[in-house]
Amino acid sequence: MPALNGVDLGLLPTMGVGSYASPSWLTAMRRVLRVGDAGPADMEEAIQDAIKIAVWDQEEAGLDILTDGEIRRQRFLWNVVEKLSGLKLIPAQRKLGVVSYDSAPRFETAERVTAPNGLGIVQEYTYVRTLTDHPLKVCCPGPLTVALPITPKGGYTNGDYFPLLYDLAEIVNRELRQLVAVGATFIQVDEPSAAGRTPSLPIAETVKLFNKTVEGVQAKIALHICFGNNQGRPAMKRTYKPLFPGILDAKAEQFALEYANREMAELDLWSQYGGDRELAAGVLDVKSMYLETPEDVAERIRAVLQHVKPEKLYLTCDCGFSASSRGLARAKLGALVAGAKIVRQELEKR
Ligand SMILES: [Zn+2]
Protein backbone atom coordinates (compact mmCIF):
# COMPACT_ATOMS: atom_id res chain seq x y z
CA MET A 1 0.00 0.00 0.00
CA PRO A 2 1.38 3.47 -0.82
CA ALA A 3 2.75 5.14 2.29
CA LEU A 4 4.75 8.22 3.19
CA ASN A 5 6.60 8.71 6.49
CA GLY A 6 4.95 5.50 7.68
CA VAL A 7 1.49 7.00 7.04
CA ASP A 8 -0.75 4.84 4.88
CA LEU A 9 -1.98 6.89 1.89
CA GLY A 10 -4.59 4.37 0.73
CA LEU A 11 -4.74 3.12 -2.84
CA LEU A 12 -4.19 5.50 -5.77
CA PRO A 13 -2.93 8.60 -3.94
CA THR A 14 -3.52 11.82 -5.88
CA MET A 15 -1.19 14.81 -6.23
CA GLY A 16 -0.20 17.54 -8.65
CA VAL A 17 3.09 17.33 -10.50
CA GLY A 18 4.43 20.50 -8.89
CA SER A 19 3.38 23.90 -10.16
CA TYR A 20 -0.12 25.26 -9.62
CA ALA A 21 -1.86 28.03 -11.57
CA SER A 22 -1.06 31.53 -10.34
CA PRO A 23 -4.05 33.59 -9.21
CA SER A 24 -4.65 36.28 -11.83
CA TRP A 25 -4.02 39.08 -9.32
CA LEU A 26 -0.50 37.74 -8.70
CA THR A 27 0.32 38.29 -12.39
CA ALA A 28 -1.03 41.84 -12.04
CA MET A 29 1.05 42.30 -8.88
CA ARG A 30 4.25 41.28 -10.70
CA ARG A 31 3.48 43.96 -13.29
CA VAL A 32 2.93 46.56 -10.56
CA LEU A 33 6.28 45.58 -9.02
CA ARG A 34 8.06 45.89 -12.39
CA VAL A 35 6.92 49.48 -12.92
CA GLY A 36 7.92 50.41 -9.38
CA ASP A 37 4.45 50.86 -7.85
CA ALA A 38 5.02 48.07 -5.30
CA GLY A 39 8.00 47.15 -3.14
CA PRO A 40 9.59 43.79 -2.29
CA ALA A 41 7.62 43.55 0.97
CA ASP A 42 4.34 44.02 -0.93
CA MET A 43 5.41 41.29 -3.34
CA GLU A 44 6.37 38.92 -0.54
CA GLU A 45 2.96 39.41 1.09
CA ALA A 46 1.25 38.70 -2.23
CA ILE A 47 3.34 35.58 -2.86
CA GLN A 48 2.61 34.18 0.61
CA ASP A 49 -1.10 34.81 0.07
CA ALA A 50 -0.94 33.07 -3.33
CA ILE A 51 0.80 30.03 -1.80
CA LYS A 52 -1.99 29.84 0.81
CA ILE A 53 -4.51 29.82 -2.04
CA ALA A 54 -2.58 27.10 -3.91
CA VAL A 55 -2.61 24.93 -0.78
CA TRP A 56 -6.24 25.74 -0.11
CA ASP A 57 -7.29 24.79 -3.67
CA GLN A 58 -5.43 21.46 -3.44
CA GLU A 59 -6.93 20.67 -0.03
CA GLU A 60 -10.41 21.65 -1.18
CA ALA A 61 -10.03 19.47 -4.29
CA GLY A 62 -9.14 16.59 -1.97
CA LEU A 63 -5.58 15.76 -3.10
CA ASP A 64 -3.66 13.35 -0.87
CA ILE A 65 -0.20 14.92 -1.34
CA LEU A 66 0.28 18.66 -1.77
CA THR A 67 2.97 21.02 -3.07
CA ASP A 68 3.43 24.76 -2.57
CA GLY A 69 2.39 25.22 -6.20
CA GLU A 70 5.86 26.61 -7.06
CA ILE A 71 4.24 30.03 -6.84
CA ARG A 72 7.63 31.67 -6.21
CA ARG A 73 8.96 30.41 -9.54
CA GLN A 74 8.11 32.16 -12.74
CA ARG A 75 7.94 29.99 -15.83
CA PHE A 76 9.12 27.00 -13.77
CA LEU A 77 12.85 27.68 -14.08
CA TRP A 78 13.56 31.41 -14.03
CA ASN A 79 13.70 31.93 -10.27
CA VAL A 80 16.00 28.93 -9.83
CA VAL A 81 18.48 30.06 -12.51
CA GLU A 82 18.35 33.55 -10.99
CA LYS A 83 19.94 32.15 -7.81
CA LEU A 84 23.09 31.10 -9.69
CA SER A 85 26.14 33.29 -9.80
CA GLY A 86 28.68 33.35 -12.63
CA LEU A 87 26.12 33.92 -15.40
CA LYS A 88 25.82 36.65 -17.99
CA LEU A 89 22.31 37.45 -19.22
CA ILE A 90 21.71 37.31 -22.98
CA PRO A 91 18.39 39.04 -23.73
CA ALA A 92 15.82 37.06 -25.69
CA GLN A 93 16.53 37.27 -29.39
CA ARG A 94 12.84 37.05 -30.33
CA LYS A 95 10.29 39.00 -28.37
CA LEU A 96 7.42 39.45 -30.82
CA GLY A 97 4.80 37.02 -32.03
CA VAL A 98 4.01 33.65 -30.55
CA VAL A 99 5.59 33.03 -27.14
CA SER A 100 7.82 29.98 -27.32
CA TYR A 101 10.99 28.46 -25.95
CA ASP A 102 13.14 31.07 -27.73
CA SER A 103 11.22 33.98 -26.17
CA ALA A 104 13.06 33.60 -22.85
CA PRO A 105 16.45 35.14 -22.10
CA ARG A 106 19.50 32.89 -22.23
CA PHE A 107 22.70 32.91 -20.23
CA GLU A 108 26.42 32.44 -20.85
CA THR A 109 28.79 31.50 -18.08
CA ALA A 110 31.29 34.20 -17.14
CA GLU A 111 32.96 31.89 -14.60
CA ARG A 112 32.30 28.58 -12.80
CA VAL A 113 28.66 28.51 -11.71
CA THR A 114 27.84 28.51 -7.99
CA ALA A 115 24.77 29.08 -5.83
CA PRO A 116 26.12 30.93 -2.80
CA ASN A 117 22.70 31.13 -1.12
CA GLY A 118 21.19 27.92 -2.44
CA LEU A 119 18.33 27.65 -4.93
CA GLY A 120 15.56 28.94 -2.66
CA ILE A 121 13.66 25.65 -2.59
CA VAL A 122 14.46 25.08 1.10
CA GLN A 123 12.62 28.34 1.86
CA GLU A 124 9.71 27.25 -0.34
CA TYR A 125 9.41 24.03 1.65
CA THR A 126 9.74 25.53 5.12
CA TYR A 127 7.01 28.07 4.35
CA VAL A 128 4.48 25.59 2.93
CA ARG A 129 5.15 23.23 5.86
CA THR A 130 3.69 25.89 8.18
CA LEU A 131 0.42 25.93 6.20
CA THR A 132 -0.80 22.34 6.21
CA ASP A 133 -0.56 18.99 7.96
CA HIS A 134 -1.01 17.11 4.66
CA PRO A 135 1.87 15.04 3.26
CA LEU A 136 4.00 17.28 1.04
CA LYS A 137 6.08 16.78 -2.05
CA VAL A 138 8.80 19.23 -2.99
CA CYS A 139 10.09 19.57 -6.54
CA CYS A 140 13.45 20.71 -7.84
CA PRO A 141 14.65 20.97 -11.42
CA GLY A 142 17.56 18.67 -12.17
CA PRO A 143 20.88 19.73 -13.69
CA LEU A 144 19.93 18.92 -17.30
CA THR A 145 16.93 21.21 -17.03
CA VAL A 146 18.72 24.01 -15.17
CA ALA A 147 21.43 23.90 -17.86
CA LEU A 148 18.91 24.32 -20.69
CA PRO A 149 19.18 28.13 -21.00
CA ILE A 150 22.93 28.21 -20.18
CA THR A 151 25.81 28.08 -22.65
CA PRO A 152 29.15 27.17 -21.06
CA LYS A 153 31.78 29.80 -21.95
CA GLY A 154 33.89 31.50 -19.26
CA GLY A 155 35.14 29.13 -16.54
CA TYR A 156 34.43 26.13 -18.77
CA THR A 157 35.88 24.79 -21.97
CA ASN A 158 33.85 26.42 -24.71
CA GLY A 159 30.83 24.29 -25.57
CA ASP A 160 31.64 21.39 -23.21
CA TYR A 161 28.49 20.83 -21.15
CA PHE A 162 29.68 18.07 -18.83
CA PRO A 163 31.65 20.14 -16.27
CA LEU A 164 28.72 22.58 -16.10
CA LEU A 165 26.22 19.73 -15.67
CA TYR A 166 28.23 18.25 -12.81
CA ASP A 167 28.61 21.64 -11.10
CA LEU A 168 24.83 21.98 -11.31
CA ALA A 169 24.35 18.42 -10.02
CA GLU A 170 26.43 19.34 -6.97
CA ILE A 171 24.41 22.54 -6.42
CA VAL A 172 21.10 20.66 -6.69
CA ASN A 173 22.43 17.85 -4.45
CA ARG A 174 23.28 20.36 -1.74
CA GLU A 175 19.77 21.84 -1.96
CA LEU A 176 18.17 18.38 -1.71
CA ARG A 177 20.27 17.45 1.33
CA GLN A 178 19.25 20.70 3.00
CA LEU A 179 15.63 19.95 2.20
CA VAL A 180 15.95 16.64 4.01
CA ALA A 181 17.65 18.42 6.93
CA VAL A 182 14.61 20.71 7.33
CA GLY A 183 12.16 17.79 7.17
CA ALA A 184 11.30 17.09 3.50
CA THR A 185 10.57 13.40 2.98
CA PHE A 186 9.31 13.29 -0.61
CA ILE A 187 11.41 14.99 -3.27
CA GLN A 188 10.75 15.05 -7.00
CA VAL A 189 13.52 15.94 -9.41
CA ASP A 190 12.15 17.45 -12.62
CA GLU A 191 14.09 16.60 -15.75
CA PRO A 192 11.81 17.27 -18.72
CA SER A 193 14.94 17.76 -20.76
CA ALA A 194 15.98 14.15 -20.12
CA ALA A 195 13.51 13.18 -22.84
CA GLY A 196 14.92 15.74 -25.26
CA ARG A 197 18.65 15.12 -24.71
CA THR A 198 18.50 11.45 -25.57
CA PRO A 199 19.98 10.30 -27.93
CA SER A 200 22.36 13.31 -28.08
CA LEU A 201 23.17 12.47 -24.45
CA PRO A 202 23.34 8.69 -23.97
CA ILE A 203 20.83 7.46 -21.41
CA ALA A 204 23.64 5.99 -19.26
CA GLU A 205 25.09 9.51 -18.93
CA THR A 206 21.68 10.94 -18.01
CA VAL A 207 21.32 8.30 -15.29
CA LYS A 208 24.86 8.84 -13.98
CA LEU A 209 24.17 12.55 -13.67
CA PHE A 210 20.82 11.93 -11.96
CA ASN A 211 22.34 9.51 -9.46
CA LYS A 212 25.02 12.06 -8.62
CA THR A 213 22.24 14.63 -8.09
CA VAL A 214 20.40 12.46 -5.55
CA GLU A 215 23.48 10.87 -3.93
CA GLY A 216 23.06 10.63 -0.17
CA VAL A 217 19.60 12.27 -0.21
CA GLN A 218 17.62 10.32 2.40
CA ALA A 219 14.08 10.82 1.12
CA LYS A 220 11.57 9.21 -1.17
CA ILE A 221 12.86 10.28 -4.60
CA ALA A 222 10.70 10.70 -7.69
CA LEU A 223 11.86 11.57 -11.20
CA HIS A 224 9.48 13.57 -13.40
CA ILE A 225 10.15 13.37 -17.11
CA CYS A 226 7.77 15.12 -19.46
CA PHE A 227 8.14 16.76 -22.84
CA GLY A 228 8.01 20.39 -21.78
CA ASN A 229 5.07 22.74 -21.24
CA ASN A 230 5.65 26.25 -22.51
CA GLN A 231 2.26 27.90 -22.99
CA GLY A 232 0.90 24.36 -23.15
CA ARG A 233 3.28 23.28 -25.91
CA PRO A 234 5.84 20.51 -25.64
CA ALA A 235 9.42 20.99 -26.82
CA MET A 236 10.37 17.43 -27.69
CA LYS A 237 9.43 14.33 -29.59
CA ARG A 238 6.83 12.83 -27.30
CA THR A 239 8.15 9.32 -26.77
CA TYR A 240 9.72 7.60 -23.76
CA LYS A 241 10.99 4.70 -25.86
CA PRO A 242 14.63 5.84 -26.12
CA LEU A 243 14.75 6.13 -22.31
CA PHE A 244 13.81 2.53 -21.54
CA PRO A 245 15.08 0.35 -19.99
CA GLY A 246 18.21 2.43 -19.16
CA ILE A 247 16.32 5.07 -17.16
CA LEU A 248 15.42 2.44 -14.55
CA ASP A 249 19.02 2.53 -13.34
CA ALA A 250 18.15 5.95 -11.92
CA LYS A 251 17.98 5.82 -8.13
CA ALA A 252 14.35 6.91 -8.02
CA GLU A 253 11.59 5.04 -6.24
CA GLN A 254 8.96 6.70 -8.39
CA PHE A 255 8.69 7.92 -11.99
CA ALA A 256 6.17 10.67 -12.81
CA LEU A 257 5.38 10.41 -16.50
CA GLU A 258 3.08 12.06 -19.04
CA TYR A 259 0.31 9.93 -20.55
CA ALA A 260 -3.00 11.80 -20.81
CA ASN A 261 -1.80 14.18 -23.53
CA ARG A 262 -0.58 11.21 -25.58
CA GLU A 263 -3.81 9.19 -25.41
CA MET A 264 -2.18 6.90 -22.81
CA ALA A 265 0.44 5.71 -25.32
CA GLU A 266 3.50 3.66 -24.28
CA LEU A 267 2.05 2.26 -21.05
CA ASP A 268 3.32 -1.10 -22.31
CA LEU A 269 6.88 0.12 -21.59
CA TRP A 270 5.89 0.04 -17.95
CA SER A 271 4.54 -3.53 -17.93
CA GLN A 272 7.67 -4.58 -19.79
CA TYR A 273 10.26 -2.81 -17.63
CA GLY A 274 8.60 -1.12 -14.62
CA GLY A 275 9.19 -3.97 -12.16
CA ASP A 276 8.64 -2.91 -8.56
CA ARG A 277 8.99 0.84 -9.16
CA GLU A 278 6.15 3.22 -8.46
CA LEU A 279 4.50 5.02 -11.36
CA ALA A 280 2.95 8.45 -10.88
CA ALA A 281 0.86 8.40 -14.03
CA GLY A 282 -0.28 11.61 -15.71
CA VAL A 283 -4.03 11.13 -16.09
CA LEU A 284 -4.91 14.83 -16.44
CA ASP A 285 -4.01 16.64 -19.64
CA VAL A 286 -2.72 20.02 -18.44
CA LYS A 287 -1.95 21.07 -22.02
CA SER A 288 -5.59 20.79 -23.08
CA MET A 289 -8.29 23.33 -22.25
CA TYR A 290 -10.82 20.48 -22.21
CA LEU A 291 -12.05 19.79 -18.69
CA GLU A 292 -12.00 16.05 -18.13
CA THR A 293 -15.02 14.46 -16.49
CA PRO A 294 -14.40 12.12 -13.54
CA GLU A 295 -15.31 9.23 -15.88
CA ASP A 296 -12.67 10.38 -18.44
CA VAL A 297 -10.10 10.24 -15.65
CA ALA A 298 -11.39 6.87 -14.41
CA GLU A 299 -11.07 5.45 -17.92
CA ARG A 300 -7.43 6.57 -18.08
CA ILE A 301 -6.71 5.09 -14.64
CA ARG A 302 -8.20 1.75 -15.74
CA ALA A 303 -5.89 1.83 -18.78
CA VAL A 304 -2.87 2.39 -16.51
CA LEU A 305 -3.96 -0.44 -14.22
CA GLN A 306 -3.59 -2.84 -17.14
CA HIS A 307 0.16 -2.25 -16.78
CA VAL A 308 0.83 -1.31 -13.13
CA LYS A 309 -0.14 -2.95 -9.85
CA PRO A 310 -2.60 -0.73 -7.93
CA GLU A 311 -0.30 -0.58 -4.90
CA LYS A 312 2.46 0.89 -7.09
CA LEU A 313 0.30 3.55 -8.71
CA TYR A 314 0.03 7.24 -7.84
CA LEU A 315 -2.18 9.57 -9.86
CA THR A 316 -1.09 12.96 -11.07
CA CYS A 317 -1.20 15.39 -14.00
CA ASP A 318 1.01 15.16 -17.07
CA CYS A 319 2.95 18.23 -15.97
CA GLY A 320 2.48 21.32 -13.82
CA PHE A 321 -0.31 23.88 -14.10
CA SER A 322 1.99 26.86 -14.72
CA ALA A 323 0.43 27.39 -18.19
CA SER A 324 -3.17 26.90 -17.03
CA SER A 325 -5.74 29.34 -15.71
CA ARG A 326 -6.58 28.86 -12.06
CA GLY A 327 -10.26 28.07 -12.60
CA LEU A 328 -9.46 25.29 -15.04
CA ALA A 329 -6.61 23.94 -12.89
CA ARG A 330 -8.87 23.78 -9.83
CA ALA A 331 -11.65 22.05 -11.81
CA LYS A 332 -9.21 19.53 -13.29
CA LEU A 333 -7.94 18.64 -9.80
CA GLY A 334 -11.54 18.00 -8.79
CA ALA A 335 -11.92 15.61 -11.75
CA LEU A 336 -8.67 13.85 -10.77
CA VAL A 337 -9.89 13.21 -7.24
CA ALA A 338 -13.38 12.15 -8.37
CA GLY A 339 -11.94 9.82 -11.06
CA ALA A 340 -9.61 8.22 -8.52
CA LYS A 341 -12.56 7.67 -6.18
CA ILE A 342 -14.53 5.81 -8.88
CA VAL A 343 -11.64 3.41 -9.54
CA ARG A 344 -10.83 2.95 -5.84
CA GLN A 345 -14.41 1.79 -5.31
CA GLU A 346 -14.09 -0.64 -8.23
CA LEU A 347 -10.85 -2.05 -6.78
CA GLU A 348 -12.48 -2.51 -3.37
CA LYS A 349 -15.28 -4.58 -4.94
CA ARG A 350 -12.85 -6.97 -6.62
ZN1 LIG B 1 6.62 18.46 -16.59
Side-chain angles (χ1 to χ4, degrees), residues 42-63:
D42 301 312
M43 195 63 211
E44 180 58 26
E45 181 186 333
I47 283 178
Q48 292 193 5
D49 288 350
I51 295 170
K52 285 176 187 157
I53 284 177
V55 168
W56 180 21
D57 276 11
Q58 292 172 83
E59 282 184 341
E60 194 186 60
L63 292 186

Side-chain angles (χ1 to χ4, degrees), residues 20-50:
Y20 187 62
S22 267
S24 48
W25 54 259
L26 187 65
T27 312
M29 189 65 188
R30 289 192 203 278
R31 256 180 231 149
V32 171
L33 182 76
R34 266 200 302 274
V35 297
D37 285 348
D42 301 312
M43 195 63 211
E44 180 58 26
E45 181 186 333
I47 283 178
Q48 292 193 5
D49 288 350

Side-chain angles (χ1 to χ4, degrees), residues 195-240:
R197 294 263 180 166
T198 308
S200 59
L201 185 70
I203 188 65
E205 290 295 340
T206 300
V207 165
K208 202 170 130 195
L209 184 72
F210 178 82
N211 288 345
K212 193 79 193 158
T213 306
V214 298
E215 195 173 71
V217 180
Q218 302 296 323
K220 180 186 185 79
I221 302 286
L223 171 55
H224 170 56
I225 303 175
C226 63
F227 305 102
N229 180 18
N230 188 335
Q231 311 287 316
R233 295 183 188 197
M236 301 146 200
K237 184 169 177 178
R238 296 181 306 150
T239 175
Y240 289 121

Side-chain angles (χ1 to χ4, degrees), residues 2-17:
L4 194 57
N5 314 334
V7 178
D8 184 357
L9 294 166
L11 278 181
L12 312 183
T14 52
M15 60 187 176
V17 150

Side-chain angles (χ1 to χ4, degrees), residues 75-76 94 96-103 148 192-193 195 224 226-238 258 261-262 285-289 318-324:
R75 305 302 316 145
F76 170 67
R94 197 179 63 80
L96 300 174
V98 172
V99 175
S100 184
Y101 290 85
D102 63 349
S103 313
L148 269 181
S193 50
H224 170 56
C226 63
F227 305 102
N229 180 18
N230 188 335
Q231 311 287 316
R233 295 183 188 197
M236 301 146 200
K237 184 169 177 178
R238 296 181 306 150
E258 172 173 346
N261 190 249
R262 301 181 307 130
D285 183 355
V286 299
K287 298 175 196 174
S288 169
M289 301 298 169
D318 279 353
C319 193
F321 279 114
S322 62
S324 306

